[in-house]
């Protein structure tokens, strides 16, 4: 099993260092364990003139799993896309065709007071945002800046999905629901957008193949409202890339902090990229303040999903829970 560690920028490097300690602690129980590091983000840009250098990409293609930290620097969006540290993650997702992004939102009982919502609203929360990760506005063409006929500066992106792209994420959602409470809520904006009409139609059709799973549809604005009002009505929520970006942050905040949630992204098969949902947090970077729980739980997800070692994953989950119940905090 070949694991590539891409620690990246800001607190990405700090939390990944702690997660690697956990990985190494269980390595003895993993036959054929091999771990390598590669540069990505701002350091890679400085060293190679590219935030996602060819050798890193090559190693990522060959790895069986990737442990990712975070990328991006303040002022990132001013840098051209190809050289932008923060965009290296998008390029990696696209190149590896990581289309299925699992973002769980669950609450540690000890930290229930950290949520801004009332205890009874969030207690026992355990939902999964399944975000399509390879298409939508993020990658749609045409995109760019221009000048319109009236001479005004004008900028544009394209929101687009193909039927196969929707089908494959829908299948992932229904299969996932079968391992949980057999409920899928598909989130769209079919009342306004053609692309979302196709989304709803295709998800509904795929749903017919899973008669044992209850499928509901919600418009994204209403879905956010329901997520704040009564989040425990949801189990698996499936949506496109942009809505998934937004709703996964919202869902994370139900738990009180985006700082403690792991995530996993897959192409077809078991190969996965595992990363904390949080970013580089430049305001606290370099101060050893960042909470490494999200990165550590990402290692647990890796062992569970890429290497079929639920036993080791459960030990890591339990160790995190124990650290919290013993009162350790950042
Ligand atoms: C995320 C992040 C990324 C995204 C950024 C860093 C490009 O916000 O993983 O949610 O928008 O996908
Ligand atoms: Mg985001």
């Amino acid at each position: 099993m070949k694991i590539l560690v891409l620690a990246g920028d800001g607190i990405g490097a700090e939390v990944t260092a702690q997660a690697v300690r956990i990985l190494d602690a269980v390595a003895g129980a993993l036959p054929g364990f091999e771990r390598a590091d590669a540069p990505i983000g701002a350091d890679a840009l400085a060293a190679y003139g590219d935030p996602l250098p060819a050798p890193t990409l090559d190693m990522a293609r060959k790895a069986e799993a990737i442990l990712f930290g975070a990328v991006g620097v303040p002022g990132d969006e001013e840098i051209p896309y190809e050289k932008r540290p923060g965009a290296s993650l998008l390029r990696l997702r696209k190149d590896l065709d990581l289309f299925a992004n699992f973002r769980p939102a669950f609450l540690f009982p000890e930290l229930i007071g950290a949520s801004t919502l009332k205890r009874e609203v969030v207690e026992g929360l355990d939902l999964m945002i399944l975000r399509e990760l390879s298409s939508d506005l993020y990658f749609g063409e045409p995109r760019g800046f221009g000048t319109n006929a009236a001479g005004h500066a004008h900028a544009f992106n394209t929101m687009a999905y193909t039927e196969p792209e929707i089908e494959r994420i829908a299948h992932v959602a229904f299969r996932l629901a079968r391992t949980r409470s057999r409920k899928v809520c598909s989130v769209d904006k079919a009342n306004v957008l053609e692309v979302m009409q196709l989304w709803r139609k295709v998800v509904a059709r795929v749903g017919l193949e899973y008669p044992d799973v209850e499928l509901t549809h919600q418009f994204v604005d209403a879905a956010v409202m329901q997520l704040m009002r009564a989040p425990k009505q949801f189990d698996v929520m499936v949506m496109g890339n942009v809505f998934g970006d937004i709703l996964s942050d919202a869902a994370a905040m139900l738990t009180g902090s985006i700082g403690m949630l792991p995530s996993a992204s897959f192409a077809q098969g078991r190969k996965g990229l595992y990363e904390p949902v949080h970013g580089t947090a430049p305001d606290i970077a370099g101060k050893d303040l960042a909470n490494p729980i999200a990165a550590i739980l990402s290692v647990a997800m890796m062992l569970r999903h890429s290497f079929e070692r639920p036993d080791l994953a459960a030990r890591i989950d339990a160790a995190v829970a124990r650290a919290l119940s013993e009162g350790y905090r950042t």
Side-chain angles (χ1 to χ4, degrees), residues 264-279:
S265 307
F266 301 95
Q268 303 288 2
R270 291 216 318 252
K271 174 174 181 157
L273 180 146
Y274 300 85
E275 60 170 319
V277 175
H278 66 70

Side-chain angles (χ1 to χ4, degrees), residues 71 86-87 89-90 93 101 103 131 133 138 241 244-246 248-249 275-279:
V71 286
L89 174 59
L90 300 175
R93 289 173 180 167
N101 179 218
R103 296 191 165 186
R131 171 186 178 192
L133 202 59
Y138 274 61
N241 205 347
D245 180 45
I246 301 166
S248 60
D249 274 29
E275 60 170 319
V277 175
H278 66 70

Side-chain angles (χ1 to χ4, degrees), residues 173-239:
F174 290 114
R175 274 189 240 122
L176 174 66
R178 282 185 170 165
T179 69
R180 299 174 55 103
S181 48
R182 294 178 187 262
K183 270 166 54 178
V184 171
C185 176
S186 170
V187 176
D188 63 40
K189 191 70 185 171
N191 50 340
V192 179
L193 304 170
E194 283 81 357
V195 54
M196 290 289 125
Q197 285 164 22
L198 181 67
W199 176 279
R200 186 175 286 217
K201 197 173 110 191
V202 174
V203 172
R205 180 170 51 64
V206 172
L208 298 175
E209 295 173 42
Y210 302 83
D212 54 317
V213 178
E214 178 198 312
L215 171 64
T216 53
H217 304 271
Q218 280 194 15
F219 298 136
V220 62
D221 48 354
V224 180
M225 191 174 66
Q226 289 300 330
L227 204 51
M228 298 299 121
R229 192 187 70 84
K232 285 185 275 182
Q233 70 185 286
F234 297 113
D235 189 45
V236 175
M237 300 181 86
V238 63
M239 63 204 77

Side-chain angles (χ1 to χ4, degrees), residues 24-285:
D24 288 350
V26 299
L30 298 168
F33 175 81
E34 256 182 69
R35 169 169 75 72
D37 294 274
I40 193 164
D43 287 351
L45 179 63
Y48 297 86
D50 183 349
L52 179 60
T56 297
L57 190 55
D58 189 51
M59 286 168 85
R61 287 179 183 147
K62 289 180 183 144
E64 288 169 64
I66 299 168
L67 181 64
F68 190 92
V71 286
V73 290
D76 215 72
E77 56 281 358
E78 310 295 330
I79 306 169
Y81 189 84
E82 294 300 315
K83 302 250 164 192
R84 189 183 305 164
S88 57
L89 174 59
L90 300 175
R91 288 167 56 202
L92 189 62
R93 289 173 180 167
K94 189 72 184 168
D95 186 87
L96 301 178
D97 197 24
L98 300 169
F99 71 92
N101 179 218
F102 292 68
R103 296 191 165 186
F106 52 82
L107 205 69
F108 294 102
E110 294 81 8
L111 302 183
I112 199 156
S115 177
T116 50
L117 297 190
K118 293 191 185 107
R119 170 181 283 268
E120 60 270 26
V121 175
V122 290
E123 193 160 40
L125 178 78
D126 179 13
L127 67 87
M128 181 72 86
I129 304 271
L130 179 61
R131 171 186 178 192
E132 199 290 330
L133 202 59
S134 68
S135 185
D136 201 350
L137 270 178
Y138 274 61
F139 299 101
E141 297 285 347
R143 63 187 295 161
F145 296 98
T147 311
N148 73 4
H152 298 299
H154 141 96
F156 49 96
N157 292 88
T158 301
M159 186 181 237
Y161 267 108
T162 64
E163 186 167 24
E165 284 172 339
I166 304 167
E167 273 168 1
R168 65 181 184 172
I169 192 74
H171 280 292
V172 174
F174 290 114
R175 274 189 240 122
L176 174 66
R178 282 185 170 165
T179 69
R180 299 174 55 103
S181 48
R182 294 178 187 262
K183 270 166 54 178
V184 171
C185 176
S186 170
V187 176
D188 63 40
K189 191 70 185 171
N191 50 340
V192 179
L193 304 170
E194 283 81 357
V195 54
M196 290 289 125
Q197 285 164 22
L198 181 67
W199 176 279
R200 186 175 286 217
K201 197 173 110 191
V202 174
V203 172
R205 180 170 51 64
V206 172
L208 298 175
E209 295 173 42
Y210 302 83
D212 54 317
V213 178
E214 178 198 312
L215 171 64
T216 53
H217 304 271
Q218 280 194 15
F219 298 136
V220 62
D221 48 354
V224 180
M225 191 174 66
Q226 289 300 330
L227 204 51
M228 298 299 121
R229 192 187 70 84
K232 285 185 275 182
Q233 70 185 286
F234 297 113
D235 189 45
V236 175
M237 300 181 86
V238 63
M239 63 204 77
N241 205 347
V242 175
F243 297 162
D245 180 45
I246 301 166
L247 261 67
S248 60
D249 274 29
M253 276 317 292
L254 299 173
T255 74
S257 168
I258 198 173
M260 290 172 296
L261 297 173
S263 77
S265 307
F266 301 95
Q268 303 288 2
R270 291 216 318 252
K271 174 174 181 157
L273 180 146
Y274 300 85
E275 60 170 319
V277 175
H278 66 70
T280 56
D283 55 328
I284 59 163

